Amino acid sequence: MKAMKWILRGCGISILILLIVVIAGMICWERMLTEEKKVTEEVCESPVQIKNSEAGTEEAGTEEVEAAEAAEAETEGTESEGAKTEEAEGEKPSTESAYWFIPQARDCLISEEEKEQLQSTVLTAAESVEDIYQDVIIADADNYSSGVSEFTSEQRKAVVEQFGKAGFVSVEEDTNMQNPEGIETFYTDYLNGQDSMVTVFEVQRDGLIGAFSFIYRKERLQTYYIGVRWKEGGVPEIQGTSVCDVAEIKLTEKGYFIYAYKEVMTHASLRQYWRVAPLSEKCRELTKKYISGLSYVNYNMLATNWDSSNVADILMPCMYEDIYRIYTGKNLKIEGWRIPAEEYEKIMTTYFPVSVEQLREHCGYDDSSNSYEYEMIYGSPYPPFGEVVDYTENTDGTLTLIVDGVWPDYNSDLAFRNTVEVQPFEDGTFRYLSNSIEQIELELP
């Protein structure tokens, strides 16, 4: 109240008149907006028939209304049909949807009839090996899984050999390819520009059967893939199919079939491969025991020349993880990023001609905790791997292994050649004595 008196006393009646004018203006403006809103709502209302209009105008208005109603009914019908189609598709999912994450070719080189025939052949082949799967089926397994538990190497080999007896080209990682002449004929046709097709049955580690049909037509290469999983009772079913364009294929002189897709999935290898030429069971056994699991890229054991005189040059903390796996058959588990010295030194002095002093100097030994540092190995993309292709049993009880470095992602099955000497012990352990390496097709990593 005192403030109002001050305003009236200081500014006079002119201020009061100005306030009255402003308030009146706001009231008038609000009324104008209200009237404008009513007019707009009337204009926006749906058209209605006006009885007192001329006949032509009335008919035109009626036609517009009828057309709008017809369009609305058609839209509702289309939406209903779409919903029914989606519902039907939901009841019977396409076999190709299971592999939606694989880059698909825009068109397929084979007909729908050929696809159906291939699917029938693959299911018939799978049914012929049901007895091997019956006791290892997982009840109510997810559709994206193989439906199989603990499928052993022996079981995989049995499936491959049974497919082979039935005349199919078949393979798995620890077994020689059955009927490899099918691949050889296909590759010859490809080189001669003749249309050709071959199907390869691959038994994967988890028991899934993958049937790869390689097609060469119209100077193009494709694969038509059929995946077969297992239902309860040992019944096979098609998990899905996919069609992929192939960029290149190569059958090496040594006997590897290497191929590359035009579109490579994220984190996948650049090239895929199978060993077509046979490898003796003894070489497979020696590879598994002495070479599998060793790296060409994470440490220098296979990548440099060494023996007992310069073995310290290859000692690196990260190599222990692979040697531990070879020794125990298990993955390394550590606590606090340290490895007890007793365990570390026992394993390393068994597998290499090294002393405890050399290990403590080169492998991160900590005196205060009497332990070695753990250095994690990170996966290297597309690394080469070694396989024993020949061997010599020496008079002193040692073995000389001839090891080929296979590097499929660089299109080579003989990138380099190692000569590795090992000394087996009676308890099943052994010692690496030396390594020498020769570059053949590629430079050392």
Side-chain angles (χ1 to χ4, degrees), residues 271-326:
R271 289 177 172 84
Q272 313 301 318
Y273 62 90
W274 289 305
R275 197 182 217 285
V276 176
L279 186 65
S280 72
E281 287 299 318
K282 183 63 175 180
C283 283
R284 289 184 180 275
E285 178 187 323
L286 295 173
T287 299
K288 185 176 182 180
K289 183 171 184 177
Y290 298 112
I291 302 301
S292 293
L294 296 178
S295 174
Y296 278 92
V297 297
N298 292 319
Y299 40 83
N300 296 328
M301 178 187 167
L302 293 178
T304 61
N305 298 326
W306 64 270
D307 56 25
S308 59
S309 65
N310 66 334
V311 65
D313 293 345
I314 69 168
L315 294 179
M316 302 171 67
C318 64
M319 67 191 298
Y320 177 78
E321 185 170 356
D322 286 345
I323 304 304
Y324 176 89
R325 189 183 302 110
I326 290 173

